[in-house]
Amino acid sequence: MATSNLASGRGAARERLLLAASDLFCKQGINATGVDAVIAAAGTAKTTLYKAFGSKEGLVEAVLEREGETWRKWFVAEVDALPGCPADKLVHLFDVLKKWFAEEHFYGCPFINAVAEHDKDDDRMRAIALRHKTVVLDKIRELAREARPEDAEGLTHEMALLIDGAIVAALITRDPNIADHARNAAARILNNYN
């Protein structure tokens, strides 16, 4: 029993560290957020952070993996729930993004932000971002294969560029309506091929 309580206490501390780091990294930036700020927000000791994650970089990677998994599950479920054919879903996935852009705590894409903040010669953040992007691209590709079978790969990357551009523009402008412009562009792209 004592071992179980100890393990769950460590699990709770690890979870608090992940939540605190996620909030601080997304809002303030990874490089601007020190370990002391994370442990203060999480209410843990510095040794707990190092035991759980090994280093700040280990914590960053764990946060990105968690954020990515959570966001991808949400995004895929929302897109799957959209009515209409695959082409309609490709157009209206920007309505899904608009909901995200309108959230009080929308700070852009943590993967785009992490790659932007880190040394461009260091491929660790880029590799994590590409793993995330691959899953998102797979969902778009699934729809693109039905919407434009003759050039599914081209359509996949066109939509991905619109998504990334909309995310960055929404972050900079703080205007969720940016998604409407991206949706309109997606509709024009799809209409040009019909």
Side-chain angles (χ1 to χ4, degrees):
M1 187 78 147
T3 307
S4 175
N5 288 337
L6 250 156
S8 68
R10 272 184 287 206
R14 184 180 197 284
E15 183 65 20
R16 288 194 317 273
L17 284 163
L18 282 169
L19 292 171
S22 178
D23 183 54
L24 292 168
F25 292 163
C26 289
K27 185 176 182 184
Q28 298 175 0
I30 294 167
N31 293 331
T33 302
V35 168
D36 290 337
V38 174
I39 61 171
T44 65
K46 195 177 282 191
T47 54
T48 305
L49 183 146
Y50 290 110
K51 283 180 185 174
F53 302 102
S55 65
K56 180 181 176 185
E57 285 305 308
L59 176 61
V60 169
E61 291 174 15
V63 164
L64 289 173
E65 293 296 339
R66 164 80 70 82
E67 285 288 317
E69 181 180 346
T70 301
W71 189 88
R72 289 187 305 267
K73 283 181 182 175
W74 169 80
F75 179 73
V76 168
E78 290 285 319
V79 170
D80 284 345
L82 289 170
C85 67
D88 292 339
K89 289 179 185 235
L90 285 169
V91 169
H92 292 287
L93 67 79
F94 293 96
D95 298 329
V96 171
L97 292 176
K98 186 175 182 177
K99 286 193 257 182
W100 179 42
F101 298 166
E103 289 179 5
E104 180 183 347
H105 297 289
F106 171 72
Y107 301 120
C109 172
F111 297 93
I112 292 171
N113 296 345
V115 170
E117 277 194 62
H118 279 76
D119 180 352
K120 304 314 176 259
D121 290 331
D122 182 354
D123 287 333
R124 284 177 303 126
M125 289 301 120
R126 186 174 288 108
I128 292 169
L130 285 171
R131 283 195 304 271
H132 168 75
K133 189 167 190 70
T134 296
V135 176
V136 176
L137 285 174
D138 287 347
K139 180 61 191 173
I140 296 167
R141 187 176 292 110
E142 171 190 313
L143 297 169
R145 283 186 181 127
E146 293 184 50
R148 192 196 306 162
E150 68 281 1
D151 186 21
E153 201 59 26
L155 180 57
T156 298
H157 290 287
E158 290 164 0
M159 293 296 115
L161 286 168
L162 287 174
I163 291 168
D164 289 348
I167 291 168
V168 172
L171 172 65
I172 292 169
T173 64
R174 291 274 184 229
D175 182 2
N177 297 314
I178 288 293
D180 298 334
H181 300 294
R183 184 193 61 235
N184 295 341
R188 282 192 288 277
I189 288 169
L190 284 155
N191 287 335
N192 284 337
Y193 287 94
N194 291 334

